[in-house]
Amino acid sequence: MRYFQEGRALLAHGVGTGKSFELASIAIEGKARNLHQKPVVAVPNNVFGQLSRSIQQHYPNARVLSLDPKKMNKTQRHELTSKIATGNWDCVVVAHSTLDKLSAPKQFVDNQLQKQIWELQSVIDNQDSQGTFTNKRAQQKLKNLETKLQKRL
C-alpha cells in the first residue's frame, strides 16, 4: 500500500470499494509494523458504527476501542481518555463530535501553536514581495495565532 511506502495516502474510491477496510488495515497493520503507537481514526458520526464493525469483522483479535458519541458524558470522557492513554490499543475509533470534546494536554497544544507561529513567521520573513494578498493573509493568521496563544497563557 502507498501509505506504508510514502507515509500518506488518499482514499478516494467509489462507494462500496473498500475504503473502510483499507483505513482499518492502515491502522492495524501500521501498529503491527511499529509505524504507530496508538492509531486513532476519526470518522463522521454517520460512519462511526460501520467502521467499528468493519474493523472487528476483518481483525477479530484486534484490541479496538470505539468511543460512541451517543454514550459520552463528561465523566465518561475522562474515563475513556485514561483508557486511551494507558491501554495497549491496536486502534481507537472516534466520531468527529467526540474528537472535538477530547482535549490534548495544555503544554502540547501550546507547543503546537508556538511551532505554527515560528513556521508562519519564517514564511513571512522569506517572502520577497511585501504587501501582497498572500503576505497580508499570512500576517493576519500570525496575529490570530499569537492572540490565541496569549489567551491560553
Side-chain angles (χ1 to χ4, degrees):
M1 280 202 249
R2 171 174 281 166
Y3 177 80
F4 296 120
Q5 293 172 348
E6 297 179 16
R8 62 178 178 232
L10 174 63
L11 306 180
H13 331 314
V15 174
T17 57
K19 289 184 295 292
S20 295
F21 174 67
E22 194 168 350
L23 188 58
S25 297
I26 287 171
I28 303 293
E29 297 299 328
K31 169 82 186 258
R33 296 176 186 194
N34 289 324
L35 297 174
H36 316 125
Q37 290 180 354
K38 277 183 200 154
V40 176
V41 179
V43 296
N45 287 16
N46 62 325
V47 180
F48 171 79
Q50 173 193 349
L51 184 67
S52 296
R53 285 188 304 275
S54 177
I55 292 173
Q56 287 297 327
Q57 178 184 359
H58 293 294
Y59 293 94
N61 295 327
R63 292 182 37 102
V64 178
L65 177 63
S66 298
L67 306 182
D68 190 345
K70 295 175 185 166
K71 299 177 182 173
M72 295 286 285
N73 61 36
K74 189 172 186 174
T75 311
Q76 289 171 321
R77 276 197 309 268
H78 291 295
E79 182 181 314
L80 289 170
T81 303
S82 297
K83 268 187 171 181
I84 292 170
T86 59
N88 184 22
W89 303 104
D90 293 322
C91 184
V92 178
V93 182
V94 298
H96 286 170
S97 63
T98 304
L99 188 64
D100 292 339
K101 295 174 184 172
L102 298 176
S103 60
K106 182 185 180 325
Q107 180 150 3
F108 174 80
V109 174
D110 292 347
N111 289 343
Q112 291 300 312
L113 285 171
Q114 188 61 54
K115 183 179 175 185
Q116 289 178 4
I117 289 170
W118 289 333
E119 289 172 356
L120 198 53
Q121 188 63 54
S122 175
V123 168
I124 291 170
D125 291 344
N126 292 329
Q127 279 187 336
D128 294 332
S129 56
Q130 295 296 323
T132 64
F133 180 73
T134 305
N135 193 21
K136 288 179 184 177
R137 192 181 309 166
Q139 289 175 349
Q140 181 61 44
K141 184 170 174 87
L142 177 64
K143 183 179 175 184
N144 291 344
L145 285 171
E146 288 172 340
T147 302
K148 189 174 185 178
L149 183 61
Q150 287 301 320
K151 285 181 181 177
R152 292 185 55 82
L153 298 179

